Amino acid sequence: MKNVLILGANGSLARVTTQYLLKNTDLHLSLYLRNSRRLNNPDQSRVDIVDGDVMDYQKLVAAMEGQDVVYANLSGNMKATAENIVKAMHASGLKRKMLKTLFSG
């Protein structure tokens, strides 16, 4: 089973994406958001909820461990956010992949 980390998991598009992925794939999802109490776990067997801020580098690197794909659903200071995410991806060994590659094998 492949693992997907969804950053900004409480956003409206991220919630729709989460439901789609749960319904149409066997992916394991890690939902990462600043206040985990705002989100109910839709499937405890396939979903982990992680409380954290994407600007908390150490927590972000830890959340990326073991992930195959990172999906960012974020707003705000995108330059600083993107730089922190990319830095964390490099530190955790993640490479750029497209989510559609997970559907094709």
Side-chain angles (χ1 to χ4, degrees):
M1 181 180 305
K2 300 286 184 175
N3 299 307
V4 176
L5 175 63
I6 299 179
L7 304 175
N10 196 45
S12 59
L13 183 56
R15 289 192 311 262
V16 170
T17 301
T18 297
Q19 290 304 315
Y20 177 86
L21 293 175
L22 288 173
K23 182 177 179 183
N24 295 291
T25 73
D26 67 347
L27 298 171
H28 181 273
L29 308 178
S30 294
L31 308 180
Y32 191 96
L33 64 156
R34 284 185 300 221
N35 184 352
S36 62
R37 293 183 306 244
R38 294 186 297 173
L39 194 63
N40 292 322
N41 191 327
D43 183 343
Q44 292 186 4
S45 67
R46 291 181 48 207
V47 175
D48 295 319
I49 298 180
V50 181
D51 195 84
D53 189 309
V54 294
M55 295 309 292
D56 182 338
Y57 176 74
Q58 294 301 326
K59 188 154 200 155
L60 187 58
V61 169
M64 288 185 180
E65 293 296 327
Q67 301 295 332
D68 297 295
V69 171
V70 175
Y71 164 68
N73 184 75
L74 303 166
S75 63
N77 183 347
M78 294 311 296
K79 182 178 186 318
T81 301
E83 288 171 350
N84 203 54
I85 292 168
V86 170
K87 182 179 169 186
M89 289 177 75
H90 286 274
S92 63
L94 278 167
K95 305 252 187 276
R96 181 179 177 194
K97 288 185 187 177
M98 301 302 284
L99 190 56
K100 70 179 186 176
T101 63
L102 296 178
F103 294 109
S104 61

